[in-house]
């Protein structure tokens, strides 16, 4: 079983680091489908894997001297930190109020709707009006919203990040991927630190976490390598194909839980 989780993490973070998806958008529904862990544990496994992937990916981009605007970056990152706190608090309350199965269905429906919207955005990208936002307050608010959604749904937020960043900054797929990875790093890092200083990790079944982190680190290297080698057009194709795959998995999860 451990090898299976290593492969899931490796595939998800390779695709995630290459396209800006982050990997969590793949990890979350796949782990739901496998059904070995509860939602809280899946959230920790996903966050840990994404944090490892984002660290490697950002170090690689720093070594490669990737260019980005610091005001946008710092504002988005600060927002992602706040969003991480809000998303974690919202998720904790969410799973305390309703049953695991109901929570899974709600999360899967939200993910499906979000992925359909983002897929349509990606297909009709050229027809969507974009902006050149430089106001740090708007960037901060965007970071809070993105971080909150990502942590609450346990997805890393990559595709949502890419779509919003593209609209706000008129970024290319590759440029949006860089800002997205930064947002993922701060949002997921906040989640891990919040957990460490509140409930701790002893209450979670984390037997596969080491394998997933290894997969996340390896995926960070591979994804950064492929991002540098392939064109924006190929990055967009990978993005769209992955969106379709995720939508299908989420629909399967909804049906599976509803019939249980």
């Amino acid at each position: 079983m451990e090898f299976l989780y290593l492969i899931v993490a490796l595939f998800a973070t390779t695709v995630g680091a290459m396209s800006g998806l982050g990997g969590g958008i793949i990890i979350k529904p796949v782990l739901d489908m496998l059904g070995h862990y509860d939602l809280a544990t899946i959230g920790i496994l996903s966050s840990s894997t994404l944090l490892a992937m984002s660290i490697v990916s950002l170090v690689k981009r720093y070594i490669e001297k990737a260019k980005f605007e610091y005001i946008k970056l710092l504002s988005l990152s600060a927002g992602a930190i706040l969003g991480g706190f809000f998303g974690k608090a919202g998720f904790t309350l969410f799973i305390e109020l309703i049953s695991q199965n109901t929570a899974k269905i709600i999360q899967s429906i939200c993910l499906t709707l979000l992925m359909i919207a983002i897929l349509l955005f990606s297909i009709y990208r050229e027809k969507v009006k974009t902006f050149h936002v430089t106001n740090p307050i708007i960037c901060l608010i965007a970071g809070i919203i993105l971080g909150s959604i990502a942590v609450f749904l346990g997805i890393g937020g990559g595709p949502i990040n890419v779509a919003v960043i593209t609209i706000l900054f008129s970024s290319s797929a590759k440029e949006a991927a860089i800002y997205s990875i930064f947002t993922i790093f701060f949002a997921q890092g906040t989640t891990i630190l919040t957990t460490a200083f509140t409930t701790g990790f002893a209450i979670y079944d984390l037997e596969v976490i080491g394998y997933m982190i290894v997969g996340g680190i390896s995926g960070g290297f591979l994804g950064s390598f492929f991002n540098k080698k392939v064109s924006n057009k190929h990055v967009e194709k990978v993005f769209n194909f992955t969106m379709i795959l995720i939508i299908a998995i989420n629909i399967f999860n909804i049906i599976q839980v509803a019939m249980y």
Side-chain angles (χ1 to χ4, degrees), residues 221-234:
F221 278 111
L222 289 174
S224 297
F225 172 79
F226 288 129
N227 179 271
K228 186 178 179 181
K229 296 295 182 181
V230 302
S231 66
N232 271 309
K233 186 175 181 180
H234 284 101

Side-chain angles (χ1 to χ4, degrees), residues 146-205:
L146 293 174
S148 298
I149 293 173
V151 173
F152 179 77
L153 294 178
I155 58 173
I160 306 169
N161 295 350
V162 169
V164 172
I165 289 167
T166 299
I167 293 171
L168 287 180
F169 305 149
S170 296
S171 303
S172 68
K174 283 190 174 183
E175 291 170 339
I178 295 174
Y179 289 106
S180 175
I181 299 282
F182 268 105
T183 305
I184 290 166
F185 168 75
F186 285 104
Q188 302 308 319
T190 299
T191 300
I192 295 299
L193 287 175
T194 301
T195 302
F197 288 106
T198 53
T199 61
F201 299 101
I203 62 174
Y204 302 102
D205 181 2

Side-chain angles (χ1 to χ4, degrees), residues 82-92 144 147-153 191:
L82 293 173
F85 282 115
F86 297 149
K88 178 66 175 176
F91 174 76
T92 301
I144 292 173
S148 298
I149 293 173
V151 173
F152 179 77
L153 294 178
T191 300

Side-chain angles (χ1 to χ4, degrees), residues 24-105:
I25 198 68
I26 302 172
I27 292 172
K28 172 63 170 65
V30 170
L31 265 58
D32 279 347
M33 182 176 65
L34 293 174
H36 296 148
Y37 299 102
D38 60 29
L39 289 178
T41 300
I42 288 173
I44 295 298
L45 291 172
S46 178
S47 292
S48 301
T49 306
L50 295 175
L51 183 61
M53 177 278 297
S54 62
I55 291 171
V56 171
S57 186
L58 291 177
V59 169
K60 287 276 291 180
R61 281 167 168 74
Y62 175 78
I63 294 172
E64 294 163 3
K65 298 181 179 179
K67 296 181 180 180
F68 41 77
E69 296 182 40
Y70 283 98
I71 292 178
K72 293 178 182 177
L73 176 64
L74 293 174
S75 300
L76 276 171
S77 300
I81 292 171
L82 293 173
F85 282 115
F86 297 149
K88 178 66 175 176
F91 174 76
T92 301
L93 180 63
F94 176 64
I95 60 175
E96 286 177 354
L97 294 176
I98 60 178
S99 68
Q100 283 283 317
N101 283 350
T102 303
K104 282 184 178 181
I105 290 175

